[in-house]
Amino acid sequence: MAAPGALGGAPGTTPIDRVYSKTPSLSTALLGNFATGMALADINGDGWLDMVASNGNDVSPQPMNVYLNRRSKERPFADKQYPSWYSADIAFRAGIAIGDVNGDGWLDVAVAIPTDLHCDSSKGGAALYMNRGGTLEQNPSWHTEDGYGATAVTFTDIDADGRLDLAVAVYGEGNRLGGCPPDGRTAGGHQRVYRNLDGTLEGSPSWKSEHPLPAAAVLAADVDQDGWMDLAFAGDTTQVFYGGKAQNAPPPLVPGWTSCKEGTACKKVIASYGIDAGWLGAQATGPLSLVVATNCLAANPCRSALLFYDPGQGTAPIQSFPVPENASQLALGDLNSDGVLDLVASRMGVTFSGAPLLFLQGPLLESPIPFSTEPRTVGQGLALGDTRQRALREAARTFSASAPRAVFTLPERRIQAILGVERVRGGGAREAARFAWAPGMNWISLSSPLQPGERLVVRYSLSRVLDVAAAVMTVSTPNCGNFVFYSNYQPRTGM
């Protein structure tokens, strides 16, 4: 099989429109929710991926939901299934992130909050629902102490201490967005990171970007592949803050790379709503490329597109792909197991009514083949994973270092679980390594950097079958549940 990210697909590649049906395999119960965020993660610790959704856009504040996996290899989520858990609180919510914050072995859920119940963005922020032995607490026990309009969250390890910190994308702060829904006018906000202090997130951020950016997405990854965690925020430009090259050395407060602005080689960018990173070149080595979904709410003169950047090759996109209906979130993965990265994007539609998902079958930098799904809805959150455990397998990778490094990137884009991380000393002595990882990520971050002469062995599980869960809604009448598109890919025996 070709290396992940290779430009050429394997002979006999299965077309995406045969891997996924045009209509969803199932829709959850019609609860009147305006779903905004989506994640697949094992909340109750039974080894199967559950579905977590944040609800409540600027139309109506609503609760969080968890749909527990029924542990079925055919239908893990029943059509019209009701949630197994509801939060007691209601709020306006945006993106979510999953990770074990306090190291107790249970996955916690963080959520971005754009405004308070009166549409005041200066009183938004982020919240964390702790997992109490397999069930999320009814009300979040942690909130940010400062107020702002948050749009997205992700777990990271900004100080390379092996604990999950929380990065927040901030769209605006210090201003009341007029009315419900907000009018969207903002001068931007300062992006933030809340460090993990021995299992508890700090209330005030240790790191804030120096300059404001109206950011709608955040990504944690080792973009330049130097072994230290970077942060990327997507707004009217895309900015990468390269991590400090030592333990406890956070990124500078100004970006090390910024995409081109209006009036240069870039198309006019109103806002960027989604971001992901992967190897898009011929080999799964070297710096990561960035994929950004640009989005606007007017049909003219806005140009909605997917922009592909290689930060090492300048500030202009190396490729662009027009999207007729606005893309909101996106995810990279080898959707048909041909060794080539494909892309799936949720879509909002210019008039808030479009095809919920767009699939692009690789090679993404040449002539990707588009495939859209139905029915017409507003697509928001997006998650990939083998919910039916149809093709789970174990794999292992060994890493070495020519200089101290804390972050290691696994070449496969979609990792189901990290099974073990072992440090091998120069004399051959082995010991378990403490590390940070979060579901949906393909990096691990060590609590103590790997030194030259040492090796790191990472064991993990992954699958060639990737189901797609999408948070969807309609604007005037929320008459649809969340969608799941099951993968029809049939792994060959012995693969």
Side-chain angles (χ1 to χ4, degrees):
M1 179 175 292
L7 287 178
T13 294
T14 305
I16 292 291
D17 61 1
R18 289 176 54 191
V19 176
Y20 301 96
S21 300
K22 198 171 186 65
T23 56
S25 306
L26 66 88
S27 172
T28 58
L30 311 183
L31 300 176
N33 286 336
F34 297 95
T36 53
M38 175 63 67
L40 292 172
D42 182 11
I43 296 297
N44 62 354
D46 64 357
W48 294 72
L49 294 179
D50 307 308
M51 189 162 56
V52 185
S54 60
N55 301 302
N57 66 344
D58 49 27
V59 177
S60 172
Q62 293 173 335
M64 299 274 294
N65 294 149
V66 173
Y67 298 83
L68 291 179
N69 193 311
R70 302 187 304 164
R71 293 179 288 185
S72 166
K73 288 188 177 293
E74 298 299 326
R75 297 182 65 79
F77 304 104
D79 197 25
K80 309 307 178 188
Q81 179 172 337
Y82 285 87
S84 307
W85 173 88
Y86 301 81
S87 67
D89 65 322
I90 61 172
F92 295 116
R93 296 187 178 91
I96 58 178
I98 312 290
D100 182 5
V101 172
N102 59 1
D104 65 354
W106 299 99
L107 295 174
D108 312 307
V109 178
V111 61
I113 302 173
T115 73
D116 69 359
L117 297 182
H118 303 287
C119 288
D120 188 347
S121 69
S122 68
K123 296 180 181 178
L128 181 69
Y129 296 81
M130 299 299 295
N131 191 327
R132 308 299 184 187
T135 302
L136 298 179
E137 56 191 357
Q138 289 292 302
N139 292 286
S141 55
W142 177 88
H143 294 266
T144 51
E145 294 175 358
D146 47 340
Y148 48 84
T151 49
V153 289
T154 192
F155 283 109
T156 182
D157 185 8
I158 194 175
D159 48 7
D161 66 352
R163 298 185 180 92
L164 289 177
D165 311 310
L166 185 68
V168 183
V170 180
Y171 189 75
E173 57 187 314
N175 62 316
R176 180 184 173 88
L177 301 184
C180 282
D183 62 14
R185 290 174 292 184
T186 177
H190 299 271
Q191 313 313 306
R192 289 160 163 81
V193 174
Y194 298 83
R195 289 182 58 209
N196 188 327
L197 305 177
D198 198 24
T200 303
L201 295 178
E202 59 189 355
S204 298
S206 291
W207 182 91
K208 288 175 62 175
S209 63
E210 182 173 321
H211 304 295
L213 174 75
V218 57
L219 168 76
D222 182 7
V223 176
D224 57 2
Q225 289 295 290
D226 66 349
W228 304 95
M229 186 65 71
D230 309 317
L231 291 172
F233 296 91
D236 52 8
T237 62
T238 300
Q239 299 180 354
V240 178
F241 296 80
Y242 292 113
K245 295 176 174 56
Q247 197 170 19
N248 297 316
L253 302 182
V254 295
W257 180 86
T258 301
S259 65
C260 57
K261 298 180 176 61
E262 182 181 347
T264 66
C266 277
K267 294 181 178 180
K268 183 176 182 181
V269 176
I270 304 299
S272 297
Y273 277 74
I275 186 171
D276 205 340
W279 281 291
L280 298 176
Q283 298 296 326
T285 58
L288 303 180
S289 300
L290 301 176
V291 187
V292 178
T294 64
N295 181 315
C296 60
L297 305 182
N300 188 27
C302 179
R303 297 186 179 96
S304 177
L306 299 175
L307 304 179
F308 298 83
Y309 291 100
D310 181 349
Q313 299 296 318
T315 62
I318 56 177
Q319 179 68 286
S320 64
F321 187 87
V323 180
E325 297 165 337
N326 286 325
S328 49
Q329 301 298 323
L330 50 84
L332 293 167
D334 185 0
L335 301 174
N336 56 358
S337 195
D338 64 351
V340 179
L341 277 181
D342 309 298
L343 183 146
V344 55
S346 55
R347 294 198 284 186
M348 297 174 63
V350 174
T351 58
F352 295 110
S353 180
L357 296 182
L358 168 70
F359 291 89
L360 294 183
Q361 180 178 330
L364 294 173
L365 298 182
E366 294 181 359
S367 300
I369 302 170
F371 167 64
S372 294
T373 60
E374 297 175 347
R376 298 178 71 84
T377 58
V378 176
Q380 294 274 4
L382 195 62
L384 308 180
D386 187 355
T387 64
R388 296 167 293 168
Q389 296 194 2
R390 290 187 57 228
L392 275 185
R393 62 185 177 92
E394 295 187 11
R397 295 235 172 225
T398 300
F399 298 92
S400 58
S402 58
R405 62 184 299 144
V407 179
F408 296 84
T409 304
L410 297 167
E412 296 90 355
R413 187 63 187 87
R414 295 290 156 183
I415 305 301
Q416 197 98 336
I418 301 295
L419 305 177
V421 179
E422 192 175 48
R423 184 191 299 262
V424 183
R425 302 289 185 181
R430 293 173 174 262
E431 62 182 42
R434 189 161 67 90
F435 65 95
W437 174 77
M441 306 299 178
N442 64 328
W443 52 258
I444 65 165
S445 180
L446 299 179
S447 62
S448 176
L450 194 73
Q451 301 297 319
E454 298 179 337
R455 290 178 292 125
L456 194 72
V457 181
V458 182
R459 295 186 301 107
Y460 52 100
S461 63
L462 70 163
S463 178
R464 292 185 175 88
V465 173
L466 292 175
D467 304 319
V468 180
V472 299
M473 61 181 178
T474 57
V475 173
S476 58
T477 305
N479 57 359
C480 58
N482 296 309
F483 291 163
V484 178
F485 292 81
Y486 288 137
S487 169
N488 298 315
Y489 180 75
Q490 298 293 331
R492 294 196 297 271
T493 303
M495 287 185 67

